[in-house]
Amino acid sequence: MTTPFFQPNANIVKPYALMDLDDTLFQTQRKIDAWNLPTTEPEQLVCATVNKQDEPLSFMSQRQAALFNWLLASTELVVVTARDRSEIKRVKLPFDSWQVLTHGAIILSKDGKLQAQWQQHMYDELAPLQDKLNQLSQVFANYSKSDGSQLVFTPHIDSFHNGSVDEELTIYLAIKHAHKNHQALIDLAEKLPSLVRDFDQDFYVHVNANNLAILPRAVHKHHAVKFLLDHHLDSQRPSFGFGDSLADLPFLQLLDWYGMPNHGQLHSQLQSQLQPL
């Protein structure tokens, strides 16, 4: 048997593009300035997200907008983001495939409905941790109200189907610093294991820029993407993806090809390990 040589084929098979959103496809003006991104003159910016007051918050450069337009036309674009179901509604971009939300705790199908099997799995994982998550929530809620505290605490909660009822469960806890003091968040992360019993056994901590997330080990983009690849995505179709943070790397490594923007946490980590030319 002779292995054939490659022949061009007009029948294009669309690859899957599994994409992180914030700081990968768009970012705030503050980060545009910090990273000195090209094609970000005011007249070239494209609004990508709005805040709770429906005001422009994050923007795509002209190059990012061109990339996103190419992805929409040439791939099946699968969203993989830390944003929850309310936050994703403030992203003003057209998505029409699977969406992995809330660090992987939520999977929405193409028609925008919760993926039932994954929802039940996450309920089974999260329900036993509610007491510990509530304990941590109370600690941070009290601390954030105290005089002089610069921490902004947000519990991320969603409804999970269990039998014939929907239950509200805390998925993870997010903390920001009012003055964007990254070191203060790192210092806080080091103290977390002392706050609840078996913290490291049940939770992990992700710190990126001004975001500290306390997540159950069952909640990870990697787990949700693996579920999609194993059960719902066509294994004959190629896959690639991009992400900007260290938390993206495990899901990216499940794909055929992956990369990162030339800014952000993952890029900085790699750059620090490479010898300059």
Side-chain angles (χ1 to χ4, degrees):
M1 178 180 176
T2 303
T3 303
F5 292 103
F6 174 78
Q7 295 291 331
N9 189 333
N11 296 318
I12 301 297
V13 176
K14 280 190 173 184
Y16 295 108
L18 288 88
M19 305 297 296
D20 173 58
L21 299 180
D22 292 81
D23 298 339
T24 297
L25 289 178
F26 51 76
Q27 56 285 307
T28 61
Q29 183 66 56
R30 181 177 65 85
K31 291 182 178 179
I32 287 172
D33 296 339
W35 292 328
N36 194 28
L37 296 183
T39 64
T40 55
E41 294 77 15
E43 66 274 11
Q44 300 218 54
L45 288 179
V46 176
C47 182
T49 79
V50 296
N51 61 19
K52 292 179 181 178
Q53 290 74 44
D54 211 32
E55 301 163 335
L57 179 63
S58 297
F59 306 91
M60 290 191 290
S61 70
Q62 200 60 225
R63 287 186 189 175
Q64 288 171 325
L67 172 67
F68 184 70
N69 195 55
W70 172 76
L71 289 169
L72 286 180
S74 307
T75 74
E76 182 171 338
L77 179 63
V78 178
V79 170
V80 185
T81 179
R83 285 177 175 258
D84 62 26
R85 282 201 285 170
S86 65
E87 292 167 338
I88 195 67
K89 293 176 181 176
R90 298 199 291 273
V91 178
K92 301 304 180 181
L93 299 175
F95 302 127
D96 58 6
S97 185
W98 296 92
Q99 296 184 40
V100 174
L101 308 178
T102 324
H103 287 282
I106 300 292
I107 297 178
L108 298 183
S109 61
K110 295 182 180 183
D111 59 5
K113 295 181 179 177
L114 288 163
Q115 208 291 325
Q117 183 181 350
W118 187 251
Q119 186 187 32
Q120 183 62 54
H121 166 70
M122 290 310 306
Y123 175 88
D124 294 340
E125 294 286 348
L126 289 170
L129 295 175
Q130 291 304 292
D131 285 347
K132 288 185 178 180
L133 283 165
N134 291 337
Q135 181 182 342
L136 284 167
S137 294
Q138 195 59 52
V139 169
F140 292 121
N142 292 339
Y143 190 77
S144 63
K145 292 175 184 175
S146 65
D147 290 340
S149 172
Q150 301 298 320
L151 299 181
V152 181
F153 164 70
T154 306
H156 286 259
I157 298 168
D158 212 320
S159 58
F160 290 83
H161 195 67
N162 179 38
S164 59
V165 298
D166 283 338
E167 285 190 42
E168 295 265 303
L169 297 181
T170 300
I171 300 173
Y172 80 99
L173 310 177
I175 300 171
K176 294 177 180 284
H177 193 277
H179 299 300
K180 298 178 173 56
N181 186 333
H182 182 65
Q183 188 58 49
L185 294 181
I186 293 175
D187 294 343
L188 176 61
E190 293 176 354
K191 299 175 184 176
L192 291 174
S194 65
L195 297 181
V196 297
R197 179 174 49 85
D198 299 327
F199 180 90
D200 289 333
Q201 176 183 311
D202 296 323
F203 302 100
Y204 68 100
V205 178
H206 173 55
V207 182
N208 185 13
N210 193 41
N211 297 286
L212 184 154
I214 304 169
L215 298 122
R217 293 199 174 275
V219 176
H220 205 293
K221 291 178 179 180
H222 171 275
H223 305 329
V225 168
K226 187 174 189 310
F227 174 82
L228 283 182
L229 290 169
D230 289 347
H231 299 285
H232 293 283
L233 302 189
D234 183 354
S235 63
Q236 297 302 305
R237 292 168 62 180
S239 64
F240 70 93
F242 291 100
D244 73 288
S245 82
L246 292 172
D248 292 322
L249 189 57
F251 97 75
L252 293 173
Q253 290 175 322
L254 296 169
L255 310 178
D256 297 312
W257 299 272
Y258 65 88
M260 70 195 84
N262 66 349
H263 52 262
Q265 187 183 47
L266 196 52
H267 173 74
S268 297
Q269 181 80 3
L270 180 63
Q271 195 173 41
S272 70
Q273 296 174 359
L274 295 177
Q275 295 293 327
L277 295 177

